[in-house]
Amino acid sequence: MTYPKLRQHIEKLVPLTDEEFAFVEQHFVCRKFKKHQFMVQPGELVPYNYFLLSGLTKLVYTDEETEKQHILAFAMEDWWDNDFEAYYTRTKATLSMECLEDTEALCLSLDNFNALRTGLPKIDRFFLEKVMAGFLAGQRRILSLMTSSAQERYKQFVAQHPTLLQRLPKTQLAAYLGVSRETLSRLDL
């Protein structure tokens, strides 16, 4: 069991010896998911945090009254994603995480996350950096939704995620940007 993508990902922020990485990877379980399969579903506990080795997912909040779906995020290889509130508080999910492609992920339980941080304290720096980057990205997204036009949001997305753009169905991208499919077609000229 060796996950070079995980090691490369961690070592962008924290160098590891072979022994340290062997300790890290023993805390993960590898799972494969099919396209349209849910990794997280509302009302269920969230046993794992997911590091994507391959594939593409979307994180969605569904309004129970209107049944409208609000896409919070997409994730692809080398990204982490989850209903983080449910995972960290051991409560039931309010979000769903669905595979848009066949997906392979390394799964980290909360108990293993805590054991990893205790057993290898320098991994705390790695997770702190990831959490801060996620927080900043979320803050930028909120500000963009509040202050930017649809055209500006589209340009920001294209600039930040050019490879992701090619993999997303237009209806999914439109929902993420908060515009209709027709509006997206006009922006995508």
Side-chain angles (χ1 to χ4, degrees):
M1 157 174 100
T2 183
Y3 304 116
K5 289 181 181 179
L6 177 63
R7 185 169 188 167
Q8 291 166 359
H9 179 73
I10 293 171
E11 287 189 332
K12 289 175 188 172
L13 300 172
V14 177
L16 297 173
T17 66
D18 290 344
E19 295 76 25
E20 288 170 333
F21 183 67
F23 176 75
V24 168
E25 71 178 348
Q26 76 184 10
H27 290 84
F28 288 84
V29 175
C30 187
R31 290 197 49 207
K32 294 183 180 188
F33 302 87
K34 293 288 186 191
K35 183 177 181 177
H36 302 302
Q37 185 175 352
F38 286 88
M39 298 167 74
V40 174
Q41 291 194 55
E44 295 182 2
L45 293 175
V46 180
Y48 298 110
N49 195 3
Y50 299 97
F51 174 71
L52 275 60
L53 296 172
S54 64
L56 179 64
T57 64
K58 68 175 179 176
L59 194 63
V60 176
Y61 173 76
T62 303
D63 185 313
E64 291 181 19
E65 288 184 28
T66 64
E67 295 185 14
K68 182 176 178 176
Q69 290 193 340
H70 303 275
I71 298 177
L72 280 70
F74 296 105
M76 60 183 182
E77 46 279 326
D78 206 37
W79 292 10
W80 296 82
D81 210 4
N82 203 351
D83 181 332
F84 291 108
E85 181 177 11
Y87 173 75
Y88 287 114
T89 61
R90 297 184 196 255
T91 57
K92 293 181 180 178
T94 56
L95 307 175
S96 64
M97 189 168 145
E98 181 183 358
C99 298
L100 297 176
E101 299 173 355
D102 288 350
T103 299
E104 184 175 13
L106 293 179
C107 308
L108 181 64
S109 71
L110 188 57
D111 289 339
N112 278 343
F113 169 75
N114 290 326
L116 185 56
R117 292 176 53 229
T118 301
L120 186 60
K122 73 180 188 179
I123 209 75
D124 262 346
R125 178 170 162 248
F126 167 77
F127 284 116
L128 177 61
E129 294 287 334
K130 298 310 289 182
V131 167
M132 286 188 326
F135 175 79
L136 295 174
Q139 187 172 323
R140 283 191 302 270
R141 175 148 159 73
I142 291 167
L143 287 172
S144 177
L145 288 168
M146 291 170 51
T147 64
S148 300
S149 69
Q151 179 84 34
E152 290 168 331
R153 289 194 306 274
Y154 178 75
K155 285 180 179 178
Q156 290 167 358
F157 187 88
V158 170
Q160 292 171 354
H161 310 293
T163 58
L164 183 55
L165 180 69
Q166 304 306 315
R167 295 168 64 180
L168 285 174
K170 297 291 185 193
T171 53
Q172 302 291 319
L173 179 55
Y176 176 79
L177 294 173
V179 299
S180 69
R181 174 70 175 86
E182 294 75 22
T183 299
L184 180 62
S185 294
R186 288 192 298 274
L187 299 176
D188 195 24
L189 297 175

